[in-house]
Structures are given as C-alpha cells and as structure tokens.
Amino acid sequence: MLNRSRLLRAGGGGMLDKMVPGYKDKIWARLPQGLKEQQVRSANSAFENHIKQHKTWQGYLLAFKDMEKNFAPSAKFRKPAVDWRRQMERGTMHYGRWYEGP
C-alpha cells in the first residue's frame, strides 16, 4: 500500500484535524489505487526535477567559479609605488622626506 508522508507543523494541525482525527488518512485510503499512484509519482517527479535543476545551476556556478580565479590581478603588472592621490584618499600620505620615516 502506498503511503504519503505529511508535513507536520507546529500547532498539531487544523480545526478539522482536531474534530475528525486522521481524516486525511481516511480520505487517502478511499482513493482509487491509480489516483494514489499518480499523485505519488507527481510528487516524486517534482522533487526529482528540483534536484535536476539544482545540479544544472550548480554546474554553471562551479564553471564560473573556476573561470573567476583567472580574473584576479596579476602580480606581474603590479605597480609597487602608490601615487599621491591614492595616498591622500587612503589617508597614508606622508609629508616630508623619504629618509625621515613615517
């Protein structure tokens, strides 16, 4: 026999579940077998489709992340000196001579 799992939330169910305990199971038991199979198959295929969609997006993201490391600035073209405008913006500007120290 096919059983559907139910999502249990806080509060113990709705008003009808308090008045008629287990009514969903009673309705499920009275459904035709073909309809039960179709509903279970539909729920399973929806779950599998979400997994497949996640794997697809994960593939795209991982491919981009592999490519992303190539965008990092190369140390080969690094400029060791910092121009005075950047020093002013950073607040690291030193007024004085180079031998006087920071």
Side-chain angles (χ1 to χ4, degrees), residues 5-93:
S5 62
R6 292 178 296 177
L7 184 64
L8 298 176
R9 293 192 171 95
M15 183 64 74
L16 187 58
D17 197 36
K18 288 181 175 59
M19 291 171 52
V20 184
Y23 77 97
K24 289 182 181 178
D25 294 329
K26 293 173 186 173
I27 292 173
W28 182 253
R30 294 188 60 122
L31 289 176
Q33 185 67 21
L35 182 60
K36 289 181 191 178
E37 289 175 359
Q38 189 269 336
Q39 285 186 339
V40 169
R41 206 176 318 117
S42 173
N44 287 343
S45 68
F47 178 76
E48 294 292 331
N49 284 339
H50 290 304
I51 297 292
K52 188 172 95 174
Q53 183 182 18
H54 171 73
K55 284 185 174 182
T56 302
W57 279 106
Q58 186 181 28
Y60 293 144
L61 182 65
L62 290 176
F64 178 74
K65 286 293 182 184
D66 284 340
M67 186 179 60
E68 189 178 35
K69 64 185 171 199
N70 296 333
F71 296 144
S74 173
K76 177 180 173 185
F77 301 105
R78 185 176 182 276
K79 183 178 162 187
V82 180
D83 61 339
W84 65 272
R85 283 194 181 94
R86 283 195 177 90
Q87 288 182 14
M88 294 286 284
E89 290 296 322
R90 294 175 184 170
T92 58
M93 184 68 175

